[in-house]
Amino acid sequence: MDGNGKWTDTTVLVVDATAAGRNAMSALLRRAGYQVVPVGGGHEALAELDVRLRKGILPDVALIAMDLPGVSGVELCRRIKTRPHMAGLPVVHFSASSESPGDRRDGLEAGGEAFLTVPAEPGEIDAVLRAAVRASRLRADDQAVARRLTRLSETIFTIQAARSLQELADAAAEGAARLTGSPAAVFFLGPDDELYRATSRDRTTLDMPDGSAHRVVAGLLRRLTRGQSGVQITTVPSPLWPAGFFRPGMDHDARLVLIPTEDGRASVCLATPTRGTRRVNPENESLVARLAQATVLAAEPLLMYQVERHVALTLQHSFLPRPDRLPDLPGIDVVVRYVPASRDAEIGGDFYAALRTDDGVLAAVGDVVGHSLDAATVMVEIRHALRAYCVEESDPAVLAERLDRMLQRYHPEVTATVCLVHVEPGTGRTRIANAGHIPPLIIRDAGTADYAKASGPLLGVGLAHPPPTELFLEPTDRLLMITDGLIETRGTDLADSLEHLRAAASGALPGLDALCDTLLVSFGHDREDDIAMLALRLAD
C-alpha cells in the first residue's frame, strides 16, 4: 500500500466472459491502484495462472464472474483450490443481482473467500478485495510460522540426539539453514580453545576457509563472549568476517547469535549471511536464537564429556606402560598395542600388563565393564592390585580369585573381564586363567591358530574360578591376547568375529609386531571401543 492508501503492489486476476464487464471492472480497479490481469474465461484463467506459477508471480486475488461459459465460476474456483501451489490464492466471486440466490452459497462452498453483487460501489469492491487479500496473507503468515516452528522442533530433536560436538554442529547448521532459507555456519569454541565448526552446504575441503580463517573466528568468539551471559545477537561486517563460510570465496557480513555455556568456559555461535542490520528478518532471528539456546543446552553435557574423556585418556596413558617402556622380561618377548576408541566413542576400561614374577612372566589383558571415567579408575586399581599380588603369587587362578574379592569389597557394583597368562621361559610351561574374557589365541609356526580352552566367571560376581589351563609354548609359537574392542561390531555375531580373527592371525607374517599390525589394519578402523592387545613368545 502506498501513502495514498492504494494497494499498488496488489495484482488482481479479473475473469469475466463479457468484454464490456471485464473492461469496466479492470478500469475501476486500476483507478484504485491495483495491478490488473484481465482474462475472458475459465480455461484462459487456468493457463494464465500456470504461466505465472512457473514464474513465481501469482496474482494476489482472483475476481471471478459466476456466469462463465464452459468452466463456470464455481468450477474454476474449485480447480484453483485443489492445486497445491494455488490453493492459497483468495477468490472473490461476483454476479449480477438478478442471479440465483444460491450463487453465494455455491461460491463459498467451492472455497471462495467472498461474494460481490454487482453493480456495486467502488469502495465496497475495494474493501472486499482488501479483506480477502489480508485474510490470505495472514493465513500464509500463520502457515509459514507453523512450518518454521515444525522445522525448529525437528532440528531440536536432532541436536538432542547428537552423540558428539561435531554431530551437534552439523545438525544445528542444517537446522539454521532450513529456518532462514540461507546458508548457515555453526561454531563451538571449547574450553581448550578448540574450534568445532559445520556448514549447511555439502562442501569439499578445498572449498572451506583455511586454518587462518578459523583462528580469526575463534578470536572473534572469544572477544564477543568475554564476560557475557545469555543470548547476544550482533552483525560482523565482511572486512572482519572471513570469506567463504557461507558461499565459496564470497564475502558476506555475518549475523551472529552467540551464547556462552553456563560456566562461561565455552560458547556456541550460529552464523548466517546478511547485508547489514536493515535486512534482518525478526521472525527468522527469533527462531535462530531459540535454536541457539537449544544447541548450547545440548552442547554443555557433550563438552563435559569431552573433559571427562580427556581425563580418562590421561589416566589410562599415565598408568599403562608405553610399548617402548615395558619392563625387562628375561626369556620372553612381548609387544603391546593400545588404541583408544574413535573420538566420538566413549572411553572404556581396557588395560594390559606384563609383569615379572619369581618364576617367570605374568601377562594380563582385561576390560572393566562400562564406559566412563569410573571404569578407567577401576582399571587402574585392578592393575595396581595385580602388580601387588604377583609379588608373592604367580598362579593365575589364585590371582583371579584375589582380584574378584577386591572388586566385591571395594566396587560391588562393578564387574570386569581379564585373562591372566603365566609363562615359565625355561620350559615354555604356560598357565592360563580366564575370567569371562576372550581366550588367548595360540599361533603356530605352521600357519595354524587355535584358541586356548580356558574359561571362567568374570570378576566381581563372587563365583569360584577353575584351576588354570596348562599348555606348553614352542619357541616358534606366538600367544595373542586382545580385548573385544578389536573384533566386536554391532550386528555381527561374536563367533564369526572370533573366527575372522583366527584366520587373520594364522595368515600374519612372522614376528610379534607384524602380527599386531596386521590385526589392527584388518579390524581396527573407527572402532566403538578401546583396543588393548598383547602378543608374546619365548625369546631366542
Side-chain angles (χ1 to χ4, degrees):
M1 184 183 295
D2 65 12
N4 299 316
K6 294 185 176 183
W7 287 42
T8 55
D9 62 341
T10 303
T11 301
V12 183
L13 176 72
V14 176
V15 188
D16 192 339
T18 64
R22 185 169 64 248
N23 292 336
M25 184 65 77
S26 298
L28 183 152
L29 294 175
R30 288 191 181 100
R31 285 195 298 272
Y34 292 95
Q35 305 294 319
V36 181
V37 180
V39 296
H43 292 297
E44 185 180 352
L46 291 172
E48 178 69 26
L49 289 173
D50 284 337
V51 170
R52 287 178 165 268
L53 178 62
R54 288 193 293 271
K55 294 181 179 179
I57 52 172
L58 280 175
D60 298 286
V61 60
L63 184 58
I64 301 174
M66 294 294 288
D67 55 340
L68 297 176
V71 178
S72 69
V74 171
E75 179 60 24
L76 175 58
C77 177
R78 187 176 290 112
R79 292 190 187 186
I80 289 172
K81 295 298 183 178
T82 56
R83 297 190 178 191
H85 297 292
M86 297 183 190
L89 176 65
V91 172
V92 176
H93 286 112
F94 69 94
S95 179
S97 57
S98 60
E99 296 292 329
S100 168
D103 286 347
R104 181 185 300 272
R105 180 199 63 218
D106 293 341
L108 294 175
E109 287 181 350
E113 275 69 24
F115 190 94
L116 275 168
T117 300
V118 294
E121 290 293 325
E124 181 185 357
I125 296 173
D126 186 31
V128 170
L129 290 177
R130 290 188 186 192
V133 172
R134 276 197 299 267
S136 173
R137 290 177 178 174
L138 286 173
R139 283 197 305 272
D141 290 343
D142 290 343
Q143 290 169 355
V145 170
R147 286 193 298 270
R148 290 192 183 101
L149 290 175
T150 298
R151 291 170 184 165
L152 176 63
S153 63
E154 290 172 348
T155 300
I156 290 175
F157 179 81
T158 303
I159 66 177
Q160 288 175 341
R163 298 192 308 164
S164 69
L165 287 172
Q166 190 57 57
E167 281 187 19
L168 181 59
D170 291 337
E174 194 59 38
R178 292 182 66 203
L179 291 175
T180 62
S182 70
V186 171
F187 304 91
F188 298 148
L189 186 64
D192 55 356
D193 277 354
E194 184 173 6
L195 186 70
Y196 299 84
R197 57 110 180 101
T199 65
S200 59
R201 293 171 56 88
D202 185 13
R203 302 271 293 280
T204 67
T205 55
L206 296 176
D207 290 333
M208 292 301 299
D210 59 18
S212 62
H214 292 96
R215 287 191 291 274
V216 169
V217 171
L220 281 169
L221 300 188
R222 278 194 297 270
R223 291 194 296 274
L224 291 171
T225 57
R226 186 176 295 123
Q228 298 292 323
S229 62
V231 180
Q232 179 186 174
I233 302 177
T234 187
T235 297
V236 177
S238 59
L240 299 178
W241 183 262
F245 277 113
F246 303 123
R247 294 182 179 89
M250 294 184 64
D251 290 320
H252 286 90
D253 299 340
R255 190 69 169 168
L256 308 185
V257 179
L258 303 117
I259 307 182
T261 54
E262 188 173 353
D263 60 8
R265 299 177 61 211
S267 58
V268 170
C269 170
L270 272 62
T272 52
T274 185
R275 291 297 181 188
T277 56
R278 294 181 182 177
R279 300 287 295 277
V280 170
N281 183 319
E283 293 177 355
N284 283 350
E285 196 153 88
S286 174
L287 290 173
V288 173
R290 291 169 69 179
L291 175 59
Q293 290 172 315
T295 303
V296 79
L297 288 174
E300 286 175 343
L302 293 174
L303 287 165
M304 290 177 61
Y305 166 71
Q306 289 289 90
V307 172
E308 180 179 294
R309 189 175 193 276
H310 175 74
V311 172
L313 280 173
T314 302
L315 189 67
Q316 284 186 324
H317 292 164
S318 298
F319 288 95
L320 291 178
R322 287 172 46 180
D324 58 344
R325 294 185 178 178
L326 290 173
D328 182 30
L329 302 170
I332 300 292
D333 293 330
V334 176
V335 167
V336 296
R337 297 285 189 273
Y338 181 81
V339 182
S342 62
R343 184 186 184 91
D344 297 339
E346 295 180 292
I347 195 75
D350 296 35
F351 67 93
Y352 60 81
L355 306 167
R356 294 181 63 176
T357 66
D358 289 341
D359 52 352
V361 170
L362 180 72
V365 168
D367 184 8
V368 177
V369 176
H371 297 85
S372 66
L373 180 59
D374 289 339
T377 303
V378 174
M379 173 274 292
V380 173
E381 291 188 43
I382 290 176
R383 283 197 77 256
H384 278 296
L386 186 62
R387 290 180 65 186
Y389 294 154
C390 74
V391 169
E392 296 182 350
E393 178 60 64
S394 63
D395 187 319
V398 174
L399 294 173
E401 291 275 6
R402 292 181 179 179
L403 292 175
D404 182 74
R405 290 199 298 272
M406 185 273 289
L407 274 186
Q408 291 180 75
R409 171 69 64 86
Y410 298 109
H411 301 283
E413 75 289 352
V414 175
T415 57
T417 67
V418 67
C419 184
L420 302 172
V421 175
H422 184 268
V423 182
E424 297 175 8
T427 63
R429 182 186 181 218
T430 301
R431 290 175 293 166
I432 304 169
N434 188 11
H437 203 78
I438 296 172
L441 186 62
I442 313 299
I443 302 102
R444 307 291 183 183
D445 191 44
T448 61
D450 294 291
Y451 291 99
K453 291 178 172 54
S455 62
L458 52 84
L459 302 180
V461 297
L463 297 177
H465 289 263
T469 297
E470 186 170 319
L471 54 84
F472 285 84
L473 291 178
E474 299 294 332
T476 56
D477 292 342
R478 291 170 289 175
L479 184 145
L480 174 70
M481 305 162 68
I482 65 164
T483 56
D484 58 10
L486 179 67
I487 60 170
E488 194 172 65
T489 303
R490 194 173 302 170
T492 302
D493 184 73
L494 179 59
D496 292 339
S497 298
L498 289 172
E499 177 57 26
H500 186 190
L501 174 67
R502 190 194 65 77
S506 62
L509 293 173
L512 300 180
D513 286 300
L515 173 63
C516 293
D517 293 340
T518 296
L519 298 179
L520 286 177
V521 169
S522 300
F523 294 88
H525 297 289
D526 195 27
R527 307 304 299 179
E528 296 182 358
D529 201 352
D530 301 343
I531 298 171
M533 183 185 304
L534 183 149
L536 63 83
R537 70 188 309 167
L538 301 178
D540 295 335

